[in-house]
Amino acid sequence: MSKLDFDAIVIGSGFGGAVSACRLAQKGRKVLVLERGRRWTPQNYPRAATDPWLWNQERPDRFHGWADLRAFSDMWVVAAAGVGGGSLIYANVSVEAKPEVFKRGWPQQITYEALRPHYEEVGRMLNVQEVPDNQLSQRTRLMREGAEACNWGGRFRKLPLAVRFDPDWNADRPDTRTSTNAHGKEQGTCVHCGNCDIGCQVSAKNTLDLNYLAEAERAGAEIRALHLVKKLEPMEKGWRVHFDMIDEQTGRLSPGNLSAENVFLAAGSIGSTELLLRCRDEHRTLPALSSRLGYGWAHNGDFVTPAFYKERMISPSHGVTISAAIDLLDNSGPDGQALFVEDGGIPNLAGHFLRKRLERLPRGKLRGFYKELRELVDDGDPLEHMMPWFGQAMEPGDGRLWLGRRWYAPWKRKLRMQWSFQRSQAVVESMIAAHKLLTEKTGGSAYVPQTWTFLRNLITPHPLGGCNMGLTPANGVVDAQGKVFGYAGLYVMDGAIIPRAIGLNPSRTIAALAERNIRQVIG
Ligand SMILES: Cc1cc2nc3c(=O)[nH]c(=O)nc-3n(C[C@H](O)[C@H](O)[C@H](O)COP(=O)(O)OP(=O)(O)OC[C@H]3O[C@@H](n4cnc5c(N)ncnc54)[C@H](O)[C@@H]3O)c2cc1C
Ligand code: SF4
């Protein structure tokens, strides 16, 4: 080998990064994975209020915790930080995109048929399965009932989940069953505790550290946690990757750099786009990057409408966070919109916080929905009666990420987003209408969040795009294999290259695309 430190450096260890690292290492390449977050385990998942919950990209010395919550104007984006990326925090839904999605906006090589074997491989690696019928939560039952009442019964289905279930589990025998998985890691089975978004303490979730990354390490890949990549620099032959190492205890940052023949960027939609923007516009190490960088960003239509049921226990903190969907993606949502309605759950800890807020509602002058809510508080635990109707949708994907300057510190560049609600309004209103109909038909009262009604703000856990695939640099940042236009040996392998909203949970598509692309790149 040349004098370079590695054959390949993979940046980020989420779906795109884990698949890439695994396949590169299995092909005998010398691979290094640089991951900004820590190595989380059931022993250190955040639980107490004082635990490290937050990641802050601008102050990683102070905040190098679980979740990166970015507030742009009118749009909030949430992502994970840690070895395993979004698989640590996600709700385990591992679902294929609809074949129709690939008919517009994608390079012609990327079709559902082309991805099908890779979807299957991801499903096998993540050991996806549905919640067994003897373990359905109250939310799943409510979903099914609502679907039938709205004449959507044929569209209701349980979702494929990357979770290990024990078919014999029941409330009288609520223990987990531990065994070694196909990748040599110890895992338990689901105990329906509802903590999926804050780390599974019995390792029933098939997170990437327990499969793809385990295989990558078994094949010789090295994973370095708490390494935040700051800059990419092309060399005569290969790449130099600059990073800050974060001391987990003190937060002290120490700079470092390493070289590799190829770099596979997989820092997520926001992370990969920000890093390339900084390399083009701030460090000026990659000036030839496409002018399309940052354009075509999608929020994927995520929306939650809480509904309350006076007479019914829903217990949203019990059961896997998401279990089922009502598939209206053939434009059969209200007003002809394409929706994928799901149940949502909330971890008990978040529930505790919400309960406290609800208890502070004043008695007396309340009307309508608030009056009902106050009555539920008086009757016991209002959260036990709440159904968070959730879902995704096809939306225009017209956001743009860019680097702006602060008026008080113009020498510093901050990641900003240009997105306005107008073009997404029809689809959001359609989702709200579907949620309201489901609520009404099942005897509840829906509560449309004021963050939408008054502020037109959205929050998404499913950011897509920013380094979109295209045919040429005039309409994309990378080609159909994820190769960055204008720079040999540099690839983007994650959700940043998905060129449009896909209207449902995207991790399976991101992983399948990475399977396809990495196999084509390494031959
Ligand atoms: C609460 C929540 C629930 C979700 N539920 C689901 C679900 O049920 N199903 C589904 O399909 N999707 C779900 N998602 C979305 C899913 O997690 C993402 O779509 C997916 O993880 C994106 O994969 P990725 O490879 O693009 O990036 P990620 O998985 O986000 O991985 C990027 C990695 O890069 C690291 N990184 C970022 N910047 C740097 C840097 N500069 N240097 C080094 N490392 C860096 C990050 O720490 C992270 O580990 C959920 C997301 C959230 C937040
Ligand atoms: S419900 Fe609990 S046990 Fe089951 S996968 Fe989620 S966190 Fe793990």
Side-chain angles (χ1 to χ4, degrees):
M1 172 176 139
S2 64
K3 290 189 209 96
L4 299 170
D5 299 311
F6 291 89
D7 294 330
I9 293 181
V10 177
I11 300 168
S13 61
F15 288 89
V19 170
S20 306
C22 175
R23 300 310 176 205
L24 284 160
Q26 287 173 335
K27 267 278 179 176
R29 307 291 156 89
K30 188 180 178 197
V31 178
L32 172 68
V33 180
L34 295 174
E35 165 57 53
R36 67 178 177 173
R38 18 184 128 198
R39 251 191 212 263
W40 297 98
T41 65
Q43 286 70 45
N44 69 354
Y45 286 136
R47 288 293 185 269
T50 50
D51 283 347
W53 285 101
L54 292 179
W55 173 275
N56 186 321
Q57 192 79 350
E58 289 181 25
R59 294 301 308 269
D61 52 330
R62 288 190 58 193
F63 301 101
H64 39 279
W66 181 251
D68 179 357
L69 185 63
R70 305 272 184 119
F72 302 103
S73 57
D74 293 336
M75 180 65 70
W76 292 61
V77 183
V78 54
V83 174
S87 74
L88 300 166
I89 199 171
Y90 85 151
N92 322 304
V93 178
S94 189
V95 63
E96 298 179 5
K98 305 292 258 188
E100 300 75 44
V101 160
F102 302 97
K103 296 208 166 123
R104 190 174 56 77
W106 293 75
Q108 64 186 27
Q109 303 93 311
I110 313 283
T111 60
Y112 177 77
E113 282 308 315
L115 284 187
R116 188 204 294 267
H118 307 296
Y119 271 132
E120 283 167 12
E121 177 62 4
V122 174
R124 196 183 62 75
M125 286 292 288
L126 297 184
N127 190 16
V128 302
Q129 44 200 278
E130 295 172 356
V131 183
D133 280 338
N134 61 347
Q135 296 167 39
L136 299 185
S137 67
Q138 292 303 326
R139 280 177 287 125
T140 321
R141 291 171 201 279
L142 177 62
M143 278 276 286
R144 191 168 52 194
E145 189 185 312
E148 278 160 11
C150 295
N151 288 327
W152 292 330
R155 295 166 177 279
F156 170 86
R157 60 179 162 115
K158 290 193 289 177
L159 285 166
L161 304 176
V163 174
R164 287 180 131 205
F165 293 102
D166 170 3
D168 297 328
W169 185 92
N170 65 62
D172 300 328
R173 201 199 59 70
D175 312 328
T176 191
R177 275 198 182 153
T178 307
S179 59
T180 306
N181 73 13
H183 316 284
K185 295 285 178 186
E186 285 284 290
Q187 282 196 255
T189 49
C190 180
V191 294
H192 300 276
C193 67
N195 280 341
C196 308
D197 287 348
I198 56 172
C200 177
Q201 64 274 9
V202 296
S203 301
K205 278 177 65 147
N206 302 321
T207 48
L208 295 164
D209 50 327
L210 303 175
N211 38 68
Y212 276 105
L213 292 170
E215 292 296 344
E217 286 187 301
R218 190 142 79 170
E222 191 184 333
I223 301 175
R224 295 192 197 169
L226 292 164
H227 280 61
L228 173 65
V229 174
K230 309 278 286 193
K231 185 169 80 174
L232 307 177
E233 199 182 357
M235 303 191 303
E236 201 183 339
K237 279 193 182 142
W239 289 84
R240 186 155 296 284
V241 177
H242 298 260
F243 49 79
D244 278 343
M245 289 171 277
I246 305 163
D247 184 294
E248 185 167 344
Q249 304 309 326
T250 62
R252 205 171 71 86
L253 304 180
S254 329
N257 69 79
L258 286 164
S259 61
E261 191 180 343
N262 295 300
V263 168
F264 295 88
L265 182 53
S269 162
I270 300 292
S272 292
T273 309
E274 177 171 13
L275 187 57
L276 290 187
L277 281 169
R278 290 199 185 278
C279 290
R280 188 187 67 184
D281 302 344
E282 189 175 45
H283 311 308
R284 302 193 194 284
T285 51
L286 302 177
L289 286 172
S290 163
S291 59
R292 295 301 301 163
L293 180 60
Y295 284 86
W297 180 87
H299 58 83
N300 210 31
D302 281 84
F303 200 84
V304 180
T305 309
F308 289 84
Y309 292 79
K310 248 185 180 174
E311 310 296 337
R312 191 167 179 157
M313 296 289 274
I314 312 292
S315 305
S317 303
H318 294 108
V320 284
T321 296
I322 298 175
S323 64
I326 301 169
D327 183 347
L328 306 173
L329 280 170
D330 58 350
N331 294 313
S332 50
D335 293 326
Q337 297 287 340
L339 314 178
F340 199 68
V341 179
E342 293 176 336
D343 58 327
I346 43 170
N348 234 331
L349 278 176
H352 181 69
F353 171 78
L354 263 171
R355 260 176 221 112
K356 292 274 163 228
R357 298 284 301 258
L358 292 175
E359 277 161 19
R360 277 190 229 133
L361 283 175
R363 286 190 176 76
K365 295 173 187 161
L366 296 168
R367 299 222 186 297
F369 173 74
Y370 289 99
K371 187 160 176 276
E372 278 183 43
L373 203 54
R374 180 69 247 187
E375 281 165 18
L376 283 173
V377 175
D378 291 339
D379 284 352
D381 185 347
L383 268 203
E384 286 298 307
H385 300 270
M386 184 178 86
M387 170 70 168
W389 294 104
F390 182 43
Q392 296 93 48
M394 296 300 296
E395 49 88 13
D398 57 351
R400 181 195 163 206
L401 291 160
W402 54 288
L403 294 181
R405 296 182 192 274
R406 296 182 171 104
W407 64 267
Y408 57 89
W411 58 94
K412 271 193 180 170
R413 301 279 196 112
K414 187 174 165 57
L415 186 68
R416 297 200 192 281
M417 183 185 291
Q418 199 177 318
W419 175 81
S420 65
F421 71 88
Q422 280 93 347
R423 291 194 59 214
S424 295
Q425 187 164 8
V427 76
V428 174
E429 294 298 344
S430 171
M431 181 71 81
I432 292 170
H435 287 167
K436 279 183 163 171
L437 188 64
L438 285 159
T439 309
E440 186 193 314
K441 296 275 185 191
T442 48
S445 312
Y447 165 57
V448 181
Q450 295 184 349
T451 45
W452 171 254
T453 317
F454 297 116
L455 302 174
R456 300 296 185 203
N457 283 353
L458 293 181
I459 179 164
T460 182
H462 295 156
L464 292 173
C467 309
N468 296 19
M469 286 178 152
L471 298 177
T472 69
N475 61 21
V477 179
V478 302
D479 71 8
Q481 283 181 354
K483 282 186 198 158
V484 175
F485 289 120
Y487 291 97
L490 178 61
Y491 303 82
V492 185
M493 303 300 278
D494 56 23
I497 67 174
I498 304 276
R500 58 177 299 206
I502 63 173
L504 46 61
N505 320 66
S507 65
R508 182 97 169 248
T509 301
I510 295 168
L513 196 57
E515 283 275 15
R516 173 196 180 269
N517 286 358
I518 198 68
R519 283 165 196 268
Q520 293 208 351
V521 169
I522 56 185

